[in-house]
């Protein structure tokens, strides 16, 4: 008996079908963020990263051009098992001389990305970029009191809807378009309602533009605070959740966007009860929204558990969102995405009868069984998944070789 077969029988004794878990994991798509490869720089402006987010570290080898980023994505994706989708930001437009400002970008500025995705059989998700741009005025975009600024960003949102439709049409895979704005104040505002009213109006103006809802799923991401914007965030949790529900779009939770004791895993079932679909940015906040690489840690496992146990794999758009510049960026990408997948597999390898123990108030058995699962031979099932996906288990040598041959020459 090999290790997987042995693991399979141990899981069977625990009431778990490992084969079923492996085949379920194979069908899960993770939308992988392109911005880990270049520290959220993008190609359209020379502006520094703004919007209260920060990439720390200066590890060598960052991608500087579309070609370098595509090569790095290829290298990283080849070391990740499972289904992937490419998650792009508007600032990754490729102009080839024909420059356009954010409010005037068009599908052709993303043709190279479409060619890239199509050649690899992948869909594309999209994000308007409401930061790192001179039209971010006083840290405000869609909520700006300056009508010229607000209108500029509304036009950007509408332009992005068109590009999202183009992605869906070209790849044949629906596009998730996520709206996140950094708008907020460093210090105590005199008016908390006004900016939110303007944000609401701007979102209405964007989303009342006709678009094909079967091709584009618009999501709205909330946040608690950003660096330099500590006192007030326009797109707070209550705002975004209420707006999403009212407008019939999809709420997006980033697990770095809440107070440290608030857990996104606990929020998932509530949102599932009231939304057909929900969306996630999986990240690892360390004391703040630091966007550390996702680990195979308790909260990542708990998030996966809430998706799997509530039978919601088909209802949750799972995307990664982190940016670490202090380590090899390809390794950051691969490690984080694998950990999301590992957490999903870990959740899939749990028996269905745990809920019954809870309902029977048998908390003794529930504790014993849940603890036993933690030391079950999970690693052997994960290795089997990698083998079936024809992806190496130990990816570090591959990353070291790429670093030596490609990254170090940059
Ligand atoms: C910022 C949000 C947002 C960004 C990306 C780059 O706090 O998490 O999702 O990280 O859009
Ligand atoms: Zn996010």
């Amino acid at each position: 008996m090999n290790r997987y077969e042995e693991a399979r029988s141990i899981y069977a004794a625990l009431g778990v079908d490992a084969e079923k878990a492996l085949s379920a994991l194979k069908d899960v798509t993770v939308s992988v963020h392109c911005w880990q490869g270049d520290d959220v720089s993008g190609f359209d402006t020379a502006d520094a990263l703004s919007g209260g987010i920060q990439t720390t570290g200066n590890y060598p080898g960052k991608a500087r051009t579309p070609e370098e980023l595509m090569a790095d994505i290829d290298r990283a994706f080849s070391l990740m098992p499972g289904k992937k989708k490419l998650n792009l930001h508007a600032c990754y437009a490729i102009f080839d001389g024909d420059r356009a400002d954010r409010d005037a970008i068009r599908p052709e500025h993303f043709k190279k990305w479409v060619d890239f995705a199509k050649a690899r059989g992948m869909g594309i998700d999209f994000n308007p970029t409401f930061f790192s741009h001179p039209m971010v005025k006083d840290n405000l975009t869609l909520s700006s009191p300056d009508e010229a600024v607000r209108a500029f960003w509304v036009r950007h949102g509408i332009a992005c809807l068109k590009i999202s439709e183009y992605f869906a049409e070209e790849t044949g895979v629906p596009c998730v378009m996520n709206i996140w704005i950094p708008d907020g104040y460093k210090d105590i505002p005199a008016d908390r309602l006004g900016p939110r009213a303007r944000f609401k109006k701007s979102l209405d103006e964007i989303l009342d533009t006709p678009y094909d809802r079967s091709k584009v799923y618009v999501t709205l991401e909330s946040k608690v605070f950003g660096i330099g914007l500590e006192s007030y965030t326009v797109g707070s949790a209550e705002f975004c959740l209420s707006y999403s529900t009212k407008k019939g779009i999809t709420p997006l939770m980033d697990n770095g966007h809440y107070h440290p004791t608030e857990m996104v895993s606990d929020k998932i079932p509530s949102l599932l009860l009231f939304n057909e679909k929900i969306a996630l940015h999986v990240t690892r906040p360390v004391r703040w929204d630091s966007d550390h690489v996702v680990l195979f840690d308790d909260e990542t496992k708990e998030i996966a558990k809430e998706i799997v146990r509530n039978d919601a794999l088909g209802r949750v758009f799972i995307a990664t969102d982190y940016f670490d510049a202090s380590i090899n960026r390809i390794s950051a990408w691969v490690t984080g995405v694998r950990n999301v997948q590992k957490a999903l597999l870990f959740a899939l390898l749990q028996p269905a009868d745990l809920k019954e123990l809870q309902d029977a108030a048998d908390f003794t058995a529930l504790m014993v069984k849940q603890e036993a699962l933690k030391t079950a031979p999970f690693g052997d099932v994960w290795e089997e998944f990698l083998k079936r996906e024809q992806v190496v288990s130990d990816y570090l040598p591959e990353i070291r070789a790429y670093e030596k041959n490609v990254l170090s020459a940059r």
Side-chain angles (χ1 to χ4, degrees):
M1 230 197 249
N2 69 22
R3 288 182 65 139
Y4 170 64
E5 277 161 17
E6 207 166 319
R8 196 178 153 184
S9 61
I10 294 170
Y11 274 108
L14 292 166
V16 177
D17 183 345
E19 274 303 311
K20 215 172 127 197
L22 285 174
S23 74
L25 184 61
K26 206 170 162 347
D27 288 334
V28 179
T29 300
V30 177
S31 181
V32 181
H33 61 310
C34 76
W35 50 92
Q36 166 58 56
D38 73 336
D39 311 342
V40 211
S41 303
F43 309 127
D44 69 340
T45 66
D47 277 48
L49 181 59
S50 75
I53 53 179
Q54 225 164 66
T55 309
T56 55
N58 56 358
Y59 199 86
K62 158 180 168 172
R64 299 158 301 180
T65 62
E67 293 70 31
E68 288 180 355
L69 187 60
M70 286 178 187
D72 292 358
I73 290 171
D74 268 338
R75 191 71 278 241
F77 280 29
S78 74
L79 299 171
M80 298 166 187
K83 289 203 174 113
K84 276 92 63 185
K85 216 173 165 187
L86 179 62
N87 200 2
L88 288 178
H89 241 284
C91 61
Y92 290 84
I94 302 174
F95 292 121
D96 287 331
D98 171 31
R99 289 197 76 82
D101 207 348
R102 293 252 175 99
D103 65 333
I105 45 171
R106 294 187 305 278
E108 56 259 40
H109 301 130
F110 293 86
K111 184 176 181 309
K112 285 197 172 155
W113 284 116
V114 163
D115 294 343
F116 179 83
K118 272 174 146 177
R120 287 150 186 81
M122 291 189 297
I124 305 178
D125 288 335
F126 200 45
N127 304 260
T129 311
F130 296 101
F131 51 82
S132 309
H133 189 280
M135 280 301 269
V136 180
K137 190 180 167 197
D138 304 325
N139 300 317
L140 303 175
T141 62
L142 290 178
S143 73
S144 176
D146 180 332
E147 192 49 29
V149 170
R150 198 187 66 80
F152 175 89
W153 291 109
V154 168
R155 290 196 299 276
H156 177 56
I158 294 170
C160 287
L161 271 180
K162 302 253 173 332
I163 294 163
S164 300
E165 274 184 328
Y166 161 72
F167 287 153
E169 276 155 19
E170 290 290 324
T171 63
V173 183
C175 172
V176 175
M177 186 185 104
N178 178 49
I179 298 177
W180 170 73
I181 61 163
D183 300 28
Y185 290 108
K186 180 187 170 85
D187 228 318
I188 302 158
D191 175 16
R192 288 188 162 89
L193 186 74
R196 289 185 178 135
R198 289 189 291 270
F199 185 27
K200 182 167 177 273
K201 181 171 162 216
S202 300
L203 286 171
D204 283 345
E205 287 171 16
I206 295 169
L207 299 175
D208 289 342
T209 311
Y211 68 96
D212 188 339
R213 283 178 162 246
S214 71
K215 291 184 183 145
V216 180
Y217 287 90
V218 175
T219 63
L220 183 61
E221 179 180 11
S222 66
K223 189 159 178 170
V224 63
F225 80 92
I227 297 289
L229 308 163
E230 290 86 357
S231 298
Y232 170 80
T233 299
V234 180
S236 61
E238 294 73 18
F239 177 95
C240 290
L241 208 47
S242 308
Y243 187 88
S244 301
T245 309
K246 187 133 200 196
K247 199 77 179 172
I249 59 167
T250 302
L252 185 146
M253 295 189 290
D254 178 313
N255 63 305
H257 290 193
Y258 298 85
H259 285 287
T261 59
E262 263 183 279
M263 294 296 147
V264 160
S265 52
D266 182 63
K267 299 173 191 296
I268 290 172
S270 298
L271 263 61
L272 284 174
L273 284 173
F274 295 96
N275 293 276
E276 178 45 38
K277 304 259 186 205
I278 68 167
L280 297 176
H281 271 183
V282 186
T283 185
R284 180 166 53 105
V286 179
R287 305 192 191 284
W288 64 288
D289 184 32
S290 58
D291 288 295
H292 280 62
V293 175
V294 176
L295 299 182
F296 186 50
D297 59 13
D298 285 350
E299 175 58 0
T300 311
K301 285 186 219 169
E302 204 65 16
I303 286 173
K305 187 180 103 185
E306 290 302 328
I307 301 171
V308 168
R309 200 165 286 173
N310 296 317
D311 202 16
L313 276 169
R315 293 172 57 201
V316 183
F317 296 117
I318 304 171
T320 47
D321 179 18
Y322 51 82
F323 22 99
D324 192 338
S326 73
I327 56 173
N328 180 299
R329 292 172 185 78
I330 317 288
S331 184
W333 244 326
V334 177
T335 304
V337 172
R338 282 190 180 211
N339 283 330
V340 172
Q341 295 167 320
K342 270 191 208 163
L344 289 165
L345 182 61
F346 194 76
L348 286 161
L349 288 168
Q350 300 194 6
D353 65 355
L354 296 176
K355 283 182 184 178
E356 285 146 35
L357 293 174
Q358 175 176 315
D359 290 345
D362 189 351
F363 299 113
T364 307
L366 183 57
M367 184 188 283
V368 170
K369 287 202 175 193
Q370 289 195 139
E371 289 304 297
L373 285 165
K374 289 184 182 171
T375 48
F378 166 76
D380 294 332
V381 186
W382 172 250
E383 291 301 323
E384 179 69 14
F385 184 63
L386 295 176
K387 200 172 106 199
R388 292 186 190 182
E389 290 283 308
Q390 295 177 310
V391 164
V392 292
S393 171
D394 178 11
Y395 51 92
L396 193 56
E398 308 258 350
I399 283 171
R400 289 282 186 233
Y402 190 74
E403 182 166 80
K404 187 162 168 270
N405 302 329
V406 180
L407 302 179
S408 67
R410 289 182 183 162

